Amino acid sequence: MEKIEHTTISTNGINLHVASIGSGPAILFLHGFPDLWYSWRRQLLSFAGLGYRAIAPDLRGYGDSDSPPSHESYTVLHVVGDLVGLLDSLGVDRVFLVGHDWGAIVAWWMCMIRPDRVKALVNTSVVFNPRNPSVKPVDAFKALFGEDYYICRFQEPGEIEEDFAQVDTKKLINRFFTSRNPGPPCIPKSLGFRGLPDPPALPAWLTEEDVSFYAEKFSQKGFTGGLNYYRAMNLSWELTAPWAGLQIKVPAKFIVGDLDITYNIPGTKEYIHEGGLKKHVPFLQEVVVMEGVGHFLQQEKPDEVTDHIYGFFSKF
């Protein structure tokens, strides 16, 4: 880890902390919630060894990057703008792109809006969902799962932060990362995260040192920046109306664990395997479902995920 370089880059009116290592064709890794650049630590080292320039920022709102106070500053357009400015600052014209969770959502939209900056995409966990012109996304989740669904619970500024504050940060991080329940996460207000049972013992792929790293950063920064991505979902829906109906025309591969909550949302498996995703991402070349693997697949199965990514990017 000591070989990884850390820099601060000014882009789109904010400062982003960027971790990078290696030289060669550039790969940009995008994390999700509640993650940091650190979630890609093993891939950074592996791809540097394979002859790539591996780059992983803390996205706006996270870690050592700036956190604008308003949730209105966290639309997908803001974050894609951050990344375009980041590439410009690094002198990178076109990049191999890898996303996970919210990073996957941002990666899909970067390929939609700026396909000229992306050579190829490997996205994980979250499929591309075309914009529904008649239903805002938070409203759709509420109709599907009810008001206790975690995305709905995250909407009110300050409310879930108060809940999180009543739980030891290490326990909270452990609980997020080690969940193996593929069902929809619904947290009644009367229970809250504070009322959930203690998480199990750490799995082999997640060490006390790892948990401490995350806990220290989130204790310093707080969770509001990451939560603001959820609070900007409906605003992103409004602002992306000009791209409604467009296909994503970048060579792509999609990877998901079969225990991932995203893979078990009703209709998602059919959408992926019966042609729905391919309709909207026509250059989708591969879909990989990793058996017995949960949401944080790049940490749970780092070598396998690296092999899947390298096997695809090495074609270009």
Side-chain angles (χ1 to χ4, degrees), residues 19-296:
S20 62
I21 185 172
S23 59
I27 303 182
L28 181 62
F29 295 92
L30 307 179
H31 69 79
F33 178 88
D35 278 344
L36 302 163
W37 74 267
Y38 189 80
S39 303
W40 296 108
R41 59 197 178 278
R42 298 185 179 94
Q43 285 75 27
L44 291 180
L45 296 173
S46 295
F47 277 96
L50 290 167
Y52 290 85
R53 181 183 184 185
I55 305 161
D58 283 333
L59 297 180
R60 67 164 58 204
Y62 286 93
D64 294 320
S65 293
D66 286 350
S67 297
S70 171
H71 74 272
E72 294 182 351
S73 297
Y74 291 81
T75 71
V76 291
L77 299 186
H78 285 91
V79 187
V80 170
D82 296 346
L83 300 175
V84 170
L86 170 63
L87 296 182
D88 290 344
S89 295
L90 295 176
V92 175
D93 182 35
R94 299 177 70 224
V95 72
F96 290 111
L97 189 60
V98 182
H100 172 255
D101 189 79
W102 264 106
I105 296 172
V106 171
W108 289 124
W109 278 100
M110 186 162 179
C111 291
M112 172 79 80
I113 297 169
R114 294 303 305 267
D116 58 308
R117 305 305 295 268
V118 182
K119 293 179 183 178
L121 168 70
V122 173
N123 242 351
T124 68
S125 180
V126 180
V127 296
F128 175 73
N129 285 302
R131 183 181 183 278
N132 184 333
S134 59
V135 182
K136 295 181 179 182
V138 175
D139 298 341
F141 281 120
K142 186 179 294 185
L144 189 60
F145 296 120
E147 293 186 355
D148 289 339
Y149 189 58
Y150 78 104
I151 289 176
C152 303
R153 287 291 318 281
F154 285 178
Q155 293 302 308
E156 185 62 34
E159 183 178 291
I160 206 71
E161 288 93 330
E162 183 178 338
D163 188 1
F164 285 176
Q166 299 181 50
V167 183
D168 178 78
T169 306
K170 286 186 178 181
K171 283 187 178 181
L172 193 60
I173 293 296
N174 187 351
R175 188 172 287 147
F176 277 123
F177 283 172
T178 60
S179 173
R180 310 297 290 175
N181 183 356
C186 293
I187 315 295
K189 288 185 180 182
S190 58
L191 178 67
F193 280 83
R194 64 192 179 278
L196 296 177
D198 284 345
L202 291 178
W205 54 268
L206 189 67
T207 68
E208 286 287 351
E209 182 182 3
D210 296 332
V211 173
S212 294
F213 185 91
Y214 286 104
E216 179 183 353
K217 294 298 182 183
F218 280 103
S219 293
Q220 293 170 355
K221 176 76 73 175
F223 288 91
T224 298
L227 293 166
N228 278 340
Y229 285 70
Y230 298 92
R231 294 166 183 160
M233 288 177 76
N234 282 352
L235 180 57
S236 287
W237 176 86
E238 294 178 19
L239 296 177
T240 53
W243 291 273
L246 286 184
Q247 294 175 313
I248 292 174
K249 295 186 176 180
V250 167
K253 178 174 182 173
F254 182 70
I255 311 171
V256 67
D258 67 350
L259 297 179
D260 195 321
I261 60 171
T262 64
Y263 187 60
N264 290 277
I265 292 174
T268 297
K269 294 176 184 178
E270 294 80 5
Y271 173 71
I272 292 172
H273 300 296
E274 296 178 7
L277 181 58
K278 178 79 170 179
K279 176 182 177 182
H280 298 287
V281 188
F283 299 154
L284 177 69
Q285 297 182 18
E286 299 178 50
V287 172
V288 175
V289 180
M290 301 179 70
E291 293 186 8
V293 177
H295 182 65
F296 296 93

